[in-house]
Amino acid sequence: MSKIVAEIFYCIIGFIFIMTGVKALKDEGCEKRVFTAAFWFILAFTFIAGPYFPKWITGLCVVLMAALTAMNKVVQSKSDVPTAAETRSGADRIGYKVFVPPLTLAVTAVLVATFLKSLGANNAIGVSAVAALIVAMVMFKPKAAYIVKDGTRLTDNVGTTGILPQVLAALGALFTAAGVGDVIATGVRAIIPDGNLFMATAVYCIAMALFTMIMGNGFAAFSVITVGIGIPFLIAQGANPIVVGALGLTAGYCGTLMTPMAANFNIMPAALLETKSKYAIIFSQIPVALVMLAIHIVLMYTLAF
């Protein structure tokens, strides 16, 4: 059941990518519409048909998408954006009720993940999104066409950075399989004195943050750093693996706050907010991230041992 539901959601996501590509093709004012559409169609193929083809084909698709992005061939096409007057009118009419669908999404996700574990955590996100969409349609009664219009507009606004988490997570798995964690463990063993649990904890948390800054994703860093540092220097020394895992991942998130590699978290919002500097959000988050990282080190040392 979990796999069937997951495939349904992957196909829905793929359909959104297809419509984003179609939107680009229809925009005659978009000079790179063919390349842009090709990017979204290739991405849709990997989501819909990827499991049914040899893995090297999916890898080739990733390379093609990377090449299109590197050559700056993927651009944002024209969208059906409401006027300022329409936005103001809608805001006055709806008011704070606009927060009901997001709250529905969050609550439903927790309930499904907690009580319908057979569906899986990822499917809980999909189910909650459907529930939030139904609530929004019932409350605000928009035209059904806006489901596709606003879905493709949001996808187009996010752009190529939207697939960064998946790619980086795959890269983290690749690094782990390649033995990068063992190389890191060898280097760390030379700087951590035997039996110094506090230093081992500090190095693990800091390494999680730094590697996350490089990878742009805490999940990508987690497997590599935990294999290289967390397991041999903390868990093998008696640390609670649950505490190490939980706080280790969130220590990595401290690095997420400080890196442009986490483009979907830091660079894209700056573009949407039209800040003077595209790094403005990162600069404002650095002090908070450093304080949180220090707290993580103390908490892990206190709670894990």
Side-chain angles (χ1 to χ4, degrees), residues 70-294:
M71 293 186 295
N72 197 29
K73 295 296 185 179
V74 185
V75 297
Q76 185 174 339
S77 57
K78 183 179 179 181
S79 299
D80 182 12
V81 181
T83 64
E86 290 173 333
T87 302
R88 182 70 268 168
S89 174
D92 292 338
R93 176 172 55 86
I94 296 173
Y96 289 112
K97 289 187 292 184
V98 73
F99 293 108
V100 174
L103 288 173
T104 301
L105 188 150
V107 172
T108 305
V110 172
L111 293 176
V112 172
T114 302
F115 299 105
L116 296 176
K117 296 182 179 180
S118 60
L119 286 178
N122 289 336
N123 288 332
I125 298 174
V127 172
S128 64
V130 173
L133 175 61
I134 293 173
V135 169
M137 296 294 291
V138 171
M139 289 183 62
F140 309 136
K141 298 179 174 60
K143 295 180 180 179
Y146 279 103
I147 297 176
V148 177
K149 285 185 177 181
D150 281 350
T152 55
R153 178 162 64 92
L154 178 60
T155 303
D156 209 7
N157 285 341
V158 174
T160 57
T161 59
I163 67 170
L164 196 58
Q166 297 98 308
V167 175
L168 291 174
L171 184 60
L174 179 62
F175 278 12
T176 302
V180 175
D182 296 333
V183 175
I184 293 175
T186 301
V188 170
R189 190 172 289 110
I191 63 174
I192 298 180
D194 292 337
N196 194 326
L197 299 179
F198 180 80
M199 182 173 287
T201 302
V203 169
Y204 174 63
C205 291
I206 294 172
M208 272 297 303
L210 291 176
F211 209 71
T212 298
M213 292 175 68
I214 297 171
M215 302 291 290
N217 186 291
F219 290 105
F222 182 74
S223 57
V224 177
I225 300 302
T226 300
V227 169
I229 302 176
I231 294 176
F233 296 98
L234 294 177
I235 296 175
Q237 304 300 320
N240 187 325
I242 297 176
V243 175
V244 171
L247 290 178
L249 187 56
T250 51
Y253 293 158
C254 297
T256 302
L257 298 175
M258 300 186 286
T259 176
M261 287 296 292
N264 51 327
F265 289 103
N266 300 328
I267 303 302
M268 185 194 70
L272 295 177
L273 294 172
E274 298 181 351
T275 59
K276 292 182 179 179
S277 170
K278 64 179 180 179
Y279 303 118
I281 292 177
I282 295 175
F283 290 144
S284 66
Q285 292 174 164
I286 288 176
V288 177
L290 293 175
V291 171
M292 289 175 59
L293 182 58

Side-chain angles (χ1 to χ4, degrees), residues 7 10-11 14 41-59 61:
E7 285 302 317
Y10 281 130
C11 289
F41 290 157
I42 293 172
L43 182 58
F45 170 82
T46 63
F47 271 74
I48 296 175
Y52 309 105
F53 285 84
K55 294 180 180 179
W56 68 266
I57 293 181
T58 301
C61 289

